Amino acid sequence: MKEIRRTTVNDKFSFDERLEFAETIPSRCYIAPDIFEQEKSKVFLRTWQLVGRAAQVVEPGEYFTAAVADEPVIVARGNDSVLRSFSNVCRHRAGQVAEGSGKRKSFQCLYHGWTYALDGRLTGTPEFGGVQCFEKETNALPQFKVDVWNGLIFVNLDSEAPPLAEVFGDLTTRVRHARMEGMRLATRKDWYIDCNWKVYVDNYLEGYHIPYAHPSLNRAIDYAEYRTETFPY
């Protein structure tokens, strides 16, 4: 008999690693707030997340804001033309130092006026003269890892995370036929779906429903050749 390989997660449930013995994870994983908080800290705050496009930050001073697992971030092109990402939370009383997108020479918190350079350095602290044991140099906005792939900007809040190129592996080769480097933004549409993120991903990652839910798409593809491949990341 083959050995059954079972993995235990958080001492709450175990699963058989053999795909042919797959089971649905417990329903609690889709509805429990504490599990969602764990996912934010262990998944979204430790992985590369798409935040914007390189075309938004071409010139020095151009920036845009985004959020990764509820953490506000800024992506900006510095005066040295280096692309950076850092926290959009003032080091003083946690006010945001930037909103939306555009082009600026610096970032300033609207709460108490603390000012930061395009590289995140703290440059201005109104009415803070004489304060002891305080140095501007040690109160810069925390920086995050940032990288560009095919004109898309990704940010990772985990300083120990592997490089984006390592995570994507041979994905660049696999999508080369799409010529993504020449694509430009045409429009943007946002959908807000009232469900746990795993419900949406579960649906997106399987083609089992395509012949029934998307008959026109089914006629356009070779469903018999549909395959799901897994990779390290």
Side-chain angles (χ1 to χ4, degrees):
M1 293 181 62
K2 291 185 177 180
E3 178 185 359
I4 298 178
R5 304 182 300 275
R6 300 194 72 85
T7 300
T8 300
V9 179
N10 293 338
D11 297 324
K12 296 183 182 299
F13 67 92
S14 62
F15 61 91
D16 192 325
E17 295 182 12
R18 296 172 299 176
L19 185 59
E20 61 272 23
F21 289 87
E23 299 175 82
T24 302
I25 62 177
S27 60
R28 184 174 183 276
C29 296
Y30 291 87
I31 59 177
D34 63 306
I35 290 183
F36 182 51
E37 290 303 316
Q38 290 184 52
E39 291 169 342
K40 286 197 293 185
S41 64
K42 296 181 179 180
V43 178
F44 295 107
L45 293 178
R46 296 184 181 181
T47 52
W48 290 95
Q49 300 295 322
L50 175 64
V51 293
R53 299 169 293 106
Q56 295 174 267
V57 282
V58 175
E59 300 179 0
E62 290 188 324
Y63 77 96
F64 65 85
T65 59
V68 176
D70 297 330
E71 180 69 26
V73 301
I74 300 173
V75 175
R77 182 75 64 178
N79 289 323
D80 54 3
S81 296
V82 174
L83 183 67
R84 295 181 178 86
S85 176
F86 35 83
S87 174
N88 189 12
V89 179
C90 182
R91 298 300 300 273
H92 181 216
R93 293 291 298 277
Q96 290 194 354
V97 302
E99 294 182 353
S101 61
K103 187 174 184 180
R104 300 174 61 169
K105 295 182 179 180
S106 62
F107 301 105
Q108 186 176 65
C109 178
L110 296 180
Y111 198 6
H112 297 103
W114 281 34
T115 305
Y116 300 86
L118 294 173
D119 58 6
R121 290 179 297 110
L122 177 61
T123 58
T125 54
E127 301 181 47
F128 230 62
V131 175
Q132 301 298 307
C133 303
F134 174 80
E135 297 178 347
K136 290 181 181 178
E137 294 74 17
T138 59
N139 282 275
L141 296 172
Q143 289 203 29
F144 307 129
K145 302 182 74 168
V146 61
D147 207 344
V148 179
W149 179 81
N150 275 338
L152 303 175
I153 299 177
F154 292 79
V155 168
N156 195 317
L157 274 62
D158 182 6
S159 60
E160 302 299 323
L164 182 64
E166 178 182 332
V167 172
F168 276 12
D170 67 344
L171 185 59
T172 299
T173 301
R174 286 172 172 264
V175 301
R176 184 171 295 163
H177 66 280
R179 299 180 180 177
M180 294 179 61
E181 67 280 359
M183 293 183 178
R184 299 294 181 268
L185 178 68
T187 187
R188 170 173 175 158
K189 296 182 179 180
D190 295 317
W191 286 270
Y192 295 92
I193 303 174
D194 189 15
C195 71
N196 181 271
W197 68 276
K198 293 187 295 299
V199 174
Y200 189 85
V201 172
D202 286 348
N203 173 80
Y204 185 82
L205 291 182
E206 56 96 342
Y208 192 27
H209 68 283
I210 290 178
Y212 311 98
H214 307 294
S216 59
L217 174 61
N218 189 54
R219 290 191 294 270
I221 64 175
D222 188 353
Y223 179 74
E225 292 300 315
Y226 190 99
R227 297 290 183 272
T228 297
E229 298 180 58
T230 58
F231 296 88
Y233 293 105

